[in-house]
Structures are given as structure tokens and as C-alpha cells.
Amino acid sequence: MTRSKRSQKTQSAPPPAARILVLHGPNLNLLGTREPDIYGRTTLADIHAAMEARARAEGTLIESFQSNHEGQLIDRVQAAASEGVDFIVINPAGYTHTSVALRDALAAVSIPYVEVHLSNIHAREPFRQHSYFSDRAAGVICGLGAYGYMAALEFALSRLREAQH
Ligand code: DQA
């Protein structure tokens, strides 16, 4: 065996790329036109494109999933565990204030997550001020508009970098 072949054989495979899943709850497909005074004019496609570019620069895989259906979001969280997702960024939207079942799914898979809201839910109607997700979140970002997703992504990337060392 030549020297180069031998060294190739002993080289270990590079670690698999880290994976981030971004979950968006109901009505967030309408971002850009939905109550722009509250949620801004940035579309979900814009948010995803910016997050994807940033994650790609770090060699991290990122996938975005939006659904208006609670069960589909739960199925996506459950699938994330078998897919080896390392971190979740989630805006549960209206389910923030109602969904024990989606909270339970996140608890079941034990994947760390950051909760994001475009608006400052604490400055709005009283029913928006309780979240079923915040107490289990690594952190909560609200009121920063679309920038909140980028802040959550930076946090996730730094956590994943730390985990690789
Ligand atoms: C939201 C706030 C929720 O109260 C609301 O139901 C949403 C969006 C936000 O991003 O500000 O749909 O999660």
C-alpha cells in the first residue's frame, strides 16, 4: 500500500453537518401582507432566504417548515428527532397560547429550541402574554420583527459551534 493510500485509510470522516429546523405556525405564511403594522412587510420566503444564506456560510444545514395545522407541526417535530436535527427555532404563532400538544412534542424529542415572535407579545392583548413554550426554551426573542429570527439563528450557530469543540 502506498503511503498516500495508507494515510487516506486512517483519515477519519468529517463530522456530519449540524442541522437546524425552523418551524412557523399558523398564518405566518401570510407574512408581508398580514397586519403589516404588527408583523412587518418581510415575507416568510425573505426570512428563510436570509437564514439559509447565513447558515450555509457556517456549513450548517437549515430547513424551514410552515403549517396552519397543529398535527403537521407535531409530526415535523417528531420527525426531527430521527433526522438528527440539533436545534429548533420556532415561532408557534397562535399555538403559542394554546398548544399543550406541540409543547409536549418538543419535550418528547428533547431538541433545544429558541422561541421567536415578531411582535412583542407582552405589549399586546392579555391572552398573548402566556406561552406554553417559554419555560422550556433555551431563550425567547420577541418584538424584534424579522430580525428576531436572525438573532435566534446566531445563538443556535454559536451553540452548535461550542458543541463541536
Ligand atoms: C406571533 C404572536 C402570536 O400571538 C400570534 O398569534 C402570531 C404571531 C408573533 O410572531 O408575533 O400569529 O407569534
Side-chain angles (χ1 to χ4, degrees), residues 26 28 34 39 91 93-94 96-97 116-119 121 124 128:
L28 294 174
R34 173 195 183 199
Y39 299 116
N91 182 348
T96 305
H97 320 295
V116 174
H117 301 282
L118 295 137
S119 65
I121 54 175
R124 299 184 63 193
R128 292 188 203 276

Side-chain angles (χ1 to χ4, degrees), residues 9 41 80-81 90 92-93 98 106 122 127-128 137 141-142 147 150 152 165:
K9 251 196 142 181
R41 297 207 176 267
I90 183 167
T98 64
L106 286 161
H122 301 290
F127 67 83
R128 292 188 203 276
I141 297 170
C142 75
Y147 177 76
M150 298 309 286
H165 293 124

Side-chain angles (χ1 to χ4, degrees), residues 59-77:
T60 299
L61 301 173
I62 192 163
E63 190 196 328
S64 208
F65 179 78
Q66 188 277 330
S67 179
N68 294 329
H69 304 277
E70 191 174 20
Q72 285 186 357
L73 291 162
I74 291 167
D75 287 347
R76 196 65 199 79
V77 169

